[in-house]
Amino acid sequence: MDLNLELIFTEIAVILGVSAVLGLIAARLKQPLIVAFIAVGVALGPSGFDLMAAHEPLHLLAEMGIAILLFVVGLKLDMHLIRTMGPVALATGLGQVLFTSVFGYLIALALGINTVGALYVAIALTFSSTIIIVKLLSDKREIDALHGRIAIGFLIVQDIAVVLAMIGLTAMGAGDQSGNLLIAGLLVLAKGALMVAAVALLMRFVLPRLMDQVARSQELLILFAIAWAVLFAAGGDILGFSKEVGAFLAGISLASTPYRETISSRLVSLRDFLLLFFFINLGAQLDLSLLGAQIGPALIFSLFVLVGNPIIVMIIMGYMGYRKRTGFLAGLTVAQISEFSLILAALGVSLGHIDRETLGLVTLVGLITIGLSTYMILYSHQIYEKIAPFLGLFERRTPFREADLTPAQSEGVEVVLFGLGRYGRNIAANLQRRGKRVVGVDFDPQVVAACRQQGLAARYGDAEDPEILENLHMTEAKWVVNATPGREVNLSLLKSLKSQAYPGKVVLTAHNSQEDEAYRQAGADKVLWPFVDAAEQAVDYLTTSTDIIEATYPWPVTLAEVRLRPGSAAGGKRIRELDLRARTGASIIAIDRAGQSYFDLGSDFLLLPGDRLILLGSRDDLDRAGKILEEQEQAQGESAEKHFRIEEFTLPDDSSWIDRSLGELDLRRRQGITVIGIRRGSEKIISPPPTEILRQGDTLVVAGSTEALATLRR
């Protein structure tokens, strides 16, 4: 017995080691790990090196993994998402299930598969992998996009359908054993209704109080959740309608508790680990000698799934008024079969409905479709750009569903801002405070709605969608800002703007120096570094002159720190102009600016937005000073445009400036103007140095306020 245990331990250690190696290779190839794990089973099973002897322990771990999988599906079943997506989730989910199952069944019959086998194959082709799709959409930051929400909605519908299919197939198995399918089916339904009623009573009277007690310990909460899932799975098996259905109901029973997110997040890793053994066990059951004959049918079914499923989704969504792009991106998410398809086929083998050849066929289709559809989803935007001209058939003349998400007018905007997350919304709010006219664009309909409620003109759209630019009146905007990170989305937006000959300036967002360099080389005018800027500001807050003052002067002084916000009325003024001490009794004793501390503050020290002022005074004095410093200028955006000008000024022949240097004239201090250029005949001198000597006939390009320029002309 001890020897057997040691052999089992060694065998599992080898399996895990090989799985890690092949998993690494799959990850580098951007493939889901499912493909690698099935390959491990093939390599170590009878068709390969035949190193797997511990079939019973592996089978037990596989069944535990399936139970936890169905438990988590029930736990995360988001009926709210189905309701918010409305008819489109149900229509596309049920429509695609009906289309694929009917035509898949007919294709299977045409290929010579028997009636029951054709039924299993048809149902297996119906379902798509929620786990894989959620992972890919999350990695691409599209989980909250309109097509992402719709896809998750109809995948949830599919998850419910697969559970119902399992119940029906279990009833068929019971009917085969008893010889009376009708009575067996009714008996399974009665037992199911009894179990559902029991779950409802537990949810109403027992679980709320019990979970509050259990949740006092995180370890106990997870242990209870696993025990609950396995007990319900065992109960479902005893009642005759499969472990999977029992585990699914266990998840639903806890889905209404406030602990569902904690439980699901903790169990995801355990689920993935245990499912490893299911896919390895599945791969080990494949007989490669039989798969040769299945390659032809597998290719036919794979083509049907890869092409037919997306087409039916595009047809349904186009009919319902969605744009062809949304339908295409959502349709690609059903271009593969699911881990549930493999579980369903394995269930059919255990019930004696299908043979291992049919199981091998379904598995081969799974390997092909999962492998190819992964790349289709990863490069969905590039694929769409290539075939978009041929997809007009799948879009109404007026795609009214998405027209409802987009206001009709966006004329007169100065800034078009893509990405309305926390960073983007803060940019928009600050621009609006400065009097700029901003329109925001985001691919999350809920974010768009929230921004409109907050008074921001917002439209639904995707920065990677060239068609959105056609409706934004881009020629009127002076700036296009993309607050969304990601090399592909930023470069795609820049490319689209160039193709439309956008005349304004483009600002992109980078997370590292490589992205910054790529954006600038591609033609970006400015690049934002949100994390770097935030880190620098955080360090400034942590290293203030307040610490130096308190350490140097141990007297019980009262200090306060006030940051001059953009648009502050104090910004651009000198300390003597502010006259803070006379007005409030508080004194400015230090200023922190860009990591530097200034203590030698004269009355002519110029205050700038972003400065952090260290104030000394009583608590009441400091409160009054803080209110003054936080006052905002009124209509600053308009006043800046009205009072600032750039003009050309030709020196008169008798000007006293001739033959004198710019440094000697000191025009900035004496006249309030800055010479930014000199036109001397055909020569243009940009940013002339202080040593530049002015000559007769020079034309100066000067910048300054309207008052200063008027004085200069006089």
Side-chain angles (χ1 to χ4, degrees), residues 276-451:
L276 155 74
F277 296 100
F278 169 76
F279 295 116
I280 290 174
N281 197 41
L282 182 67
Q285 296 180 48
L286 296 181
D287 188 346
L288 295 183
S289 64
L290 299 177
L291 288 184
Q294 304 289 359
I295 291 178
L299 290 175
I300 294 173
F301 283 122
S302 297
L303 185 63
F304 172 64
V305 171
L306 290 167
V307 178
N309 282 357
I311 286 178
I312 189 61
V313 169
M314 285 191 287
I315 291 174
I316 295 172
M317 291 184 63
Y319 177 77
M320 297 184 70
Y322 287 91
R323 293 169 57 217
K324 60 185 180 182
R325 183 176 186 272
T326 305
F328 176 79
L329 296 178
L332 287 186
T333 63
V334 295
Q336 88 288 124
I337 66 173
S338 166
E339 64 278 357
F340 282 121
S341 304
L342 308 180
I343 293 171
L344 198 70
L347 177 64
V349 172
S350 66
L351 293 173
H353 291 166
I354 60 175
D355 54 25
R356 294 193 180 277
E357 291 185 19
T358 306
L359 174 63
L361 173 61
V362 173
T363 305
L364 194 55
V365 173
L367 290 172
I368 296 172
T369 57
I370 290 173
L372 293 179
S373 67
T374 297
Y375 292 116
M376 292 167 64
I377 295 172
L378 287 175
Y379 300 102
S380 57
H381 297 284
Q382 293 89 328
I383 296 173
Y384 176 78
E385 289 180 8
K386 299 293 184 183
I387 66 173
F390 308 103
L391 299 180
L393 179 66
F394 303 103
E395 181 178 273
R396 283 176 176 259
R397 182 171 299 176
T398 302
F400 58 90
R401 290 279 184 181
E402 294 184 53
D404 294 341
L405 296 169
T406 304
Q409 301 295 326
S410 59
E411 290 89 344
V413 300
E414 297 174 88
V415 181
V416 176
L417 175 64
F418 286 91
L420 295 175
R422 286 173 295 181
Y423 183 56
R425 270 183 279 189
N426 277 306
I427 292 176
N430 280 283
L431 286 171
Q432 286 183 314
R433 278 197 290 268
R434 299 193 187 192
K436 302 296 182 183
R437 295 183 297 277
V438 183
V439 61
V441 182
D442 199 274
F443 57 51
D444 186 342
Q446 294 185 354
V447 169
V448 171
C451 288

Side-chain angles (χ1 to χ4, degrees), residues 549-559 616:
I549 295 171
E550 291 177 344
T552 307
Y553 303 102
W555 287 32
V557 295
T558 304
L559 300 174
L616 172 67

Side-chain angles (χ1 to χ4, degrees), residues 39 44 57 89 93 111 114 140 175 181 220 237 241 289 346 359 395 403 481 494 558 596 607 611 635 657 690 712-713:
L44 300 182
L111 292 173
N114 62 58
K140 294 185 68 181
L181 181 60
L220 181 59
D237 191 40
F241 54 95
S289 64
L359 174 63
E395 181 178 273
V481 181
L494 190 58
T558 304
Q596 297 290 325
L607 303 178
D611 284 352
W657 294 4
L712 178 64
R713 287 192 296 271

